[in-house]
Amino acid sequence: MIGIETLSTNRAHGGVQGVYRHQSSATATPMTFSVFVPDHAPGTTLPVMWFLSGLTCTHANVTEKGEYRQACAELGLIFVAPDTSPRGEGVADVPDYDFGQGAGFYVDATEAPWSAHFRMRSYIEQELPALIAAAFPADMTRQGITGHSMGGHGALTIGLRNPDRFRSVSAFAPIVAPSQVPWGQKALAGYLGDDPAAWRAHDAVALIEDGARVGELLVDQGDADSFLADQLRPQLLEAACHAAGIALTLRIQPGYDHSYYCISTFLADHLRWHAERLG
Amino acid sequence: MIGIETLSTNRAHGGVQGVYRHQSSATATPMTFSVFVPDHAPGTTLPVMWFLSGLTCTHANVTEKGEYRQACAELGLIFVAPDTSPRGEGVADVPDYDFGQGAGFYVDATEAPWSAHFRMRSYIEQELPALIAAAFPADMTRQGITGHSMGGHGALTIGLRNPDRFRSVSAFAPIVAPSQVPWGQKALAGYLGDDPAAWRAHDAVALIEDGARVGELLVDQGDADSFLADQLRPQLLEAACHAAGIALTLRIQPGYDHSYYCISTFLADHLRWHAERLG
């Protein structure tokens, strides 16, 4: 594939799990991502599911621990897992797990030094979809998006800003209102500056308050999630969706925590939900 | 649980995935293992599936990548994943990936310096089952065993030596005849000495030749496995089973390799096969 380096391919669950790298113009760094493609008839295309990962993650976490391939093979879904930030020696960073490399928050940074490479909004919304469309058997008229924690924030905000592109939007334990919680306030101030007005396009609750609309949303949230009360606060999304007339299905899962053990339990169910809506 | 330290528990697929550590008398080291217990009625017990891992692995590889929990929850199976060797600063080791720590080969070493700690046969056959029986809701009259590569060797040899204990035995890409392949010759000579007569109790094909019997075996083997021709050689097991009247189901899986992508694709199917036999 032109411009894409194949790092690995493995046959799995009746399809091919690949890991790829390319030179991103958005981030001006190499970027790694994974794609699972189920077996399909030659010349046909398949709907595309995007999975955006959370703080500290790369493409590898969900690729190894997500347990999505069997469902994708059954449903005929391509599954794309991008990285969560630019990385490398020439890329700005801090030692914090919740800011800098591994914590791109799916925004285009405007503040130095982050603005040089941290352009994950452009990467996820523009560059990587064009690459997927060109290099994989993808039907880009049928895309769904989901994600976990910071990636749930990414899925909700990107989905809300692009309702014509994503027919279905869901999330696992998302940061629903980054403007109102410590993780989000730190990241949005650091990448976008101190004026909270600039944050609203990157905050699902604020986007809904400002008029963004999707028909429905599916969110799973464990009640044993240690970040629930301070960082995630799904009741803020519930209130915003109620006021806006968005049909939110918020499932509080008893005993489940913030880990991939929760994601892997419910991801196949999300994929079925998306597949119904992607036709 | 007396004598067992709980390192983590996570709710997953309608059960609890735990990771535990205890001081092993067999290996004279701390040993870590994982156990998945599906939800079950109070006071009831569940059959036990053993998964023995391959070279370089700990309990964590299959725990994170195995995709077994949904099937275990559906079938009501406890799933136990031990480590592959003793570990730690006081334990003998070499830099090789295929000998020493991470490569216990499920034998009780007789050769110094390995004999001090490398007693994985006693650990898997005696000590850990007693601990599982005492600390988990396990029906030890209904046990099955499987494993991958070196762990497939472990599952086959332990199953063949203990047909009254294990009602069902399967393997993924097993080393079926360690006496005849480089990995096994190095390990068995290193742990047990140079006399191949001492190796036969740790070689599935030799055990069958010497009269060990089980009713049936299930083996999955990818045909894109880079170790197939030199280290695994399933046709040796096929010939031994044919001569002995053991019903071997050997499934050559086209395109699949030696990785967890193969294991995770077929592990649920193995679990269903075991569950049918465990009643």
Side-chain angles (χ1 to χ4, degrees):
Chain A
M1 290 178 268
I2 295 171
I4 300 181
E5 177 187 2
T6 300
L7 301 183
S8 65
T9 58
N10 298 86
R11 186 145 185 82
H13 287 291
V16 175
Q17 179 63 62
V19 179
Y20 307 93
R21 183 165 54 197
H22 69 121
Q23 180 65 31
S24 165
S25 57
T27 67
T29 65
M31 292 291 288
T32 301
F33 61 96
S34 81
V35 182
F36 177 73
V37 180
D39 290 353
H40 56 284
T44 60
T45 57
L46 301 173
V48 178
M49 273 303 305
W50 293 82
F51 185 95
L52 303 184
S53 294
L55 292 168
T56 76
C57 290
T58 70
H59 73 281
N61 302 69
V62 73
T63 305
E64 296 177 354
K65 301 180 184 178
E67 304 190 17
Y68 56 81
R69 281 171 285 270
Q70 183 180 7
C72 284
E74 287 175 9
L75 299 165
L77 298 174
I78 290 174
F79 190 97
V80 182
D83 203 347
T84 56
S85 80
R87 297 177 188 273
E89 286 191 10
V91 177
D93 201 13
V94 289
D96 312 19
Y97 79 95
D98 57 359
F99 191 66
Q101 294 186 33
F105 267 84
Y106 305 101
V107 302
D108 284 354
T110 56
E111 301 298 294
W114 311 102
S115 53
H117 297 288
F118 284 76
R119 299 182 60 80
M120 289 300 292
R121 175 180 180 172
S122 292
Y123 179 70
I124 299 292
E125 286 189 347
Q126 308 299 333
E127 185 178 15
L128 191 54
L131 200 71
I132 296 295
F136 294 88
D139 179 353
M140 303 305 277
T141 69
R142 294 188 290 161
Q143 295 183 69
I145 191 165
T146 189
H148 174 236
S149 194
M150 177 185 75
H153 145 73
L156 293 174
T157 54
I158 292 170
L160 283 161
R161 287 196 307 258
N162 300 278
D164 296 338
R165 190 188 307 177
F166 297 101
R167 290 197 200 174
S168 52
V169 182
S170 76
F172 297 84
I175 306 170
V176 303
S179 306
Q180 302 184 51
V181 302
W183 276 344
Q185 290 164 341
K186 175 179 178 177
L188 296 180
Y191 293 131
L192 302 175
D194 289 332
D195 180 3
W199 303 356
R200 296 187 68 82
H202 302 281
D203 179 308
V205 165
L207 278 164
I208 293 169
E209 289 171 352
D210 292 349
R213 291 293 179 270
V214 292
E216 56 185 334
L217 294 170
L218 171 63
V219 172
D220 272 316
Q221 172 64 60
D223 74 357
D225 187 324
S226 58
F227 301 112
L228 178 54
D230 290 341
Q231 305 282 8
L232 306 176
R233 301 178 66 183
Q235 69 276 14
L236 297 174
L237 182 66
E238 201 165 34
C241 285
H242 183 74
I246 295 173
L248 168 67
T249 301
L250 173 60
R251 307 191 299 196
I252 303 298
Q253 302 289 1
Y256 286 84
D257 61 24
H258 200 64
S259 72
Y260 270 87
Y261 290 112
C262 178
I263 300 170
S264 63
T265 298
F266 301 107
L267 182 46
D269 196 44
H270 278 235
L271 294 171
R272 283 188 286 271
W273 184 88
H274 285 272
E276 288 172 7
R277 284 148 185 82
L278 296 174
Chain B
M1 291 177 269
I2 295 171
I4 302 181
E5 178 187 3
T6 299
L7 300 183
S8 64
T9 59
N10 297 86
R11 186 146 185 80
H13 287 290
V16 175
Q17 178 64 62
V19 179
Y20 307 93
R21 184 167 53 199
H22 70 120
Q23 180 64 31
S24 165
S25 57
T27 67
T29 65
M31 291 291 287
T32 300
F33 61 96
S34 81
V35 181
F36 178 72
V37 180
D39 291 352
H40 56 285
T44 60
T45 56
L46 301 173
V48 178
M49 273 302 305
W50 294 84
F51 185 95
L52 304 184
S53 293
L55 291 168
T56 77
C57 289
T58 69
H59 73 283
N61 301 68
V62 72
T63 305
E64 296 178 353
K65 301 180 184 178
E67 305 191 18
Y68 57 81
R69 280 171 286 269
Q70 184 180 6
C72 284
E74 288 173 9
L75 300 166
L77 297 174
I78 291 174
F79 189 97
V80 181
D83 203 347
T84 56
S85 81
R87 296 175 190 274
E89 286 190 9
V91 177
D93 201 13
V94 288
D96 312 19
Y97 79 97
D98 57 359
F99 191 67
Q101 295 187 34
F105 267 84
Y106 306 101
V107 302
D108 285 352
T110 55
E111 300 299 293
W114 311 103
S115 52
H117 297 288
F118 284 76
R119 300 183 59 80
M120 290 300 292
R121 175 181 180 172
S122 292
Y123 180 70
I124 299 291
E125 286 190 346
Q126 307 299 332
E127 183 178 16
L128 191 55
L131 199 71
I132 297 296
F136 294 89
D139 180 352
M140 303 304 278
T141 69
R142 293 189 291 161
Q143 295 182 69
I145 191 164
T146 188
H148 174 237
S149 194
M150 176 185 74
H153 145 73
L156 293 174
T157 53
I158 292 171
L160 283 161
R161 288 196 307 259
N162 300 278
D164 296 338
R165 191 188 306 176
F166 297 101
R167 291 198 201 174
S168 50
V169 182
S170 76
F172 298 83
I175 306 169
V176 304
S179 307
Q180 302 184 52
V181 302
W183 277 343
Q185 290 163 341
K186 175 178 178 178
L188 297 179
Y191 294 131
L192 303 175
D194 289 332
D195 180 3
W199 305 355
R200 296 186 70 80
H202 302 282
D203 179 308
V205 165
L207 278 164
I208 293 170
E209 289 171 353
D210 292 347
R213 292 292 179 270
V214 292
E216 54 185 336
L217 294 170
L218 172 63
V219 171
D220 272 316
Q221 172 64 62
D223 75 357
D225 187 324
S226 57
F227 301 111
L228 177 54
D230 291 340
Q231 306 281 8
L232 306 176
R233 301 178 66 183
Q235 68 277 13
L236 296 174
L237 181 66
E238 202 165 33
C241 285
H242 182 74
I246 295 173
L248 167 68
T249 301
L250 172 61
R251 307 191 301 197
I252 303 299
Q253 302 290 359
Y256 285 84
D257 61 24
H258 200 63
S259 73
Y260 271 88
Y261 290 112
C262 178
I263 300 170
S264 63
T265 298
F266 300 108
L267 182 46
D269 196 43
H270 278 236
L271 294 171
R272 283 187 288 271
W273 184 88
H274 284 273
E276 287 171 7
R277 283 146 184 85
L278 296 174

